[in-house]
Amino acid sequence: MTANLELPKLDTAKGPAFTSDQVTVVFVLGGPGAGKGTQCNRLVEDYKFIHLSAGDLLRAEQNREGSQYGSLINHYITEGLIVPQEITITLLKNNIEENYKKGNTKFLVDGFPRKMDQAITFEEIIVPSKFVLFFDCPEDVMLERLMERGKTSGRADDNIESIKKRFKTFEDTSMPVINMFESQNKVIKIKCDQSVEEVYADVQKNIKGRL
């Protein structure tokens, strides 16, 4: 049913929609359950970022009545796979453009890019990223957090089967992205097996002077 669905077209020929002077984008990466969302909420409060969670945007589109991509997104999320970049980047671009019109220029893009092609295409079409916040967390800590969250989240992917698939997907596809940005000196690595307050203090110390 989903195989023949036509994906949105991404035009890389025009160049980025924004310059780095117009818009600041910080990619926020880390395994499932690393605490990205919690830290993003703190950064929004203190630094007036707009928080764009790729996963939340996809879930909203999945549940939107009449969405032509809903069933496709559901399939990828449930299987712990990465949704085609055409959908994710289109949703992110639309949100950044809408916010920019309202005078918002600083964005935390959370849980993205998850693959090398996403990283390259986003920077070609939207704007080059400023830097990457990488929340580094041991797998056993992430698993414990996700199983706890699954009791109340209602998320289809907060179950042991999906979680283990998501860990493998992250290791196989997202770590090469982090390594690529590391080679450009754009990665700030934050250790996450400590309290929320300690993690946030570490974030603040490391981003000072980079925004």
Side-chain angles (χ1 to χ4, degrees), residues 100-149:
Y100 184 75
K101 284 173 190 166
K102 297 174 190 169
N104 299 310
T105 60
K106 295 197 299 185
F107 299 89
L108 293 172
V109 179
D110 168 10
F112 181 95
R114 305 255 324 268
K115 281 172 77 180
M116 200 74 82
D117 61 344
Q118 291 184 345
I120 292 164
T121 306
F122 180 98
E123 296 202 335
E124 284 179 345
I125 285 182
I126 303 176
V127 68
S129 61
K130 193 87 163 175
F131 57 86
V132 179
L133 271 178
F134 170 39
F135 291 102
D136 191 14
C137 194
E139 204 169 286
D140 59 333
V141 175
M142 292 192 287
L143 180 61
E144 190 180 328
R145 289 176 182 172
L146 289 170
M147 292 306 292
E148 190 59 36
R149 186 176 78 182

Side-chain angles (χ1 to χ4, degrees), residues 1-129:
M1 179 177 67
T2 57
N4 299 322
L5 183 65
E6 191 172 330
L7 296 169
K9 295 278 187 292
L10 296 175
D11 185 3
T12 58
K14 290 180 183 173
F18 300 99
T19 67
S20 300
D21 292 331
Q22 292 174 304
V23 163
T24 295
V25 165
V26 175
F27 290 142
V28 182
L29 293 174
K36 300 183 296 295
T38 304
Q39 295 300 320
C40 284
N41 290 340
R42 303 284 289 269
L43 287 164
V44 166
E45 277 180 39
D46 293 340
Y47 296 89
K48 308 305 177 206
F49 275 101
I50 297 295
H51 177 206
L52 297 178
S53 161
D56 287 352
L57 291 176
L58 288 167
R59 279 184 286 275
E61 181 64 20
Q62 174 188 340
N63 296 323
R64 185 173 64 80
E65 199 174 331
S67 168
Q68 66 186 112
Y69 305 116
S71 59
L72 180 72
I73 293 169
N74 181 60
H75 166 74
Y76 278 89
I77 286 179
T78 305
E79 288 301 310
L81 300 170
I82 293 172
V83 174
Q85 66 164 346
E86 288 86 351
I87 295 174
T88 313
I89 290 177
T90 298
L91 293 174
L92 286 167
K93 185 171 186 280
N94 290 346
N95 272 271
I96 289 172
E97 286 175 342
E98 281 168 25
N99 274 287
Y100 184 75
K101 284 173 190 166
K102 297 174 190 169
N104 299 310
T105 60
K106 295 197 299 185
F107 299 89
L108 293 172
V109 179
D110 168 10
F112 181 95
R114 305 255 324 268
K115 281 172 77 180
M116 200 74 82
D117 61 344
Q118 291 184 345
I120 292 164
T121 306
F122 180 98
E123 296 202 335
E124 284 179 345
I125 285 182
I126 303 176
V127 68
S129 61

Side-chain angles (χ1 to χ4, degrees), residues 29-31 34 134-138 142 170 175 189-193:
L29 293 174
F134 170 39
F135 291 102
D136 191 14
C137 194
M142 292 192 287
F170 179 77
M175 284 311 297
K189 188 185 284 192
I190 306 291
K191 287 285 180 196
C192 289
D193 50 349

Side-chain angles (χ1 to χ4, degrees), residues 162-211:
S162 285
I163 288 166
K164 290 198 168 168
K165 286 176 184 172
R166 287 159 69 200
F167 284 158
K168 177 156 178 29
T169 301
F170 179 77
E171 191 60 41
D172 291 348
T173 61
S174 296
M175 284 311 297
V177 174
I178 291 161
N179 294 336
M180 177 190 78
F181 283 121
E182 208 149 33
S183 73
Q184 300 171 16
N185 296 315
K186 284 174 78 169
V187 174
I188 294 173
K189 188 185 284 192
I190 306 291
K191 287 285 180 196
C192 289
D193 50 349
Q194 49 186 344
S195 74
V196 170
E197 285 71 27
E198 287 171 312
V199 172
Y200 189 59
D202 209 5
V203 169
Q204 287 187 299
K205 184 178 76 179
N206 278 280
I207 66 173
K208 197 175 180 182
R210 294 193 71 155
L211 290 173

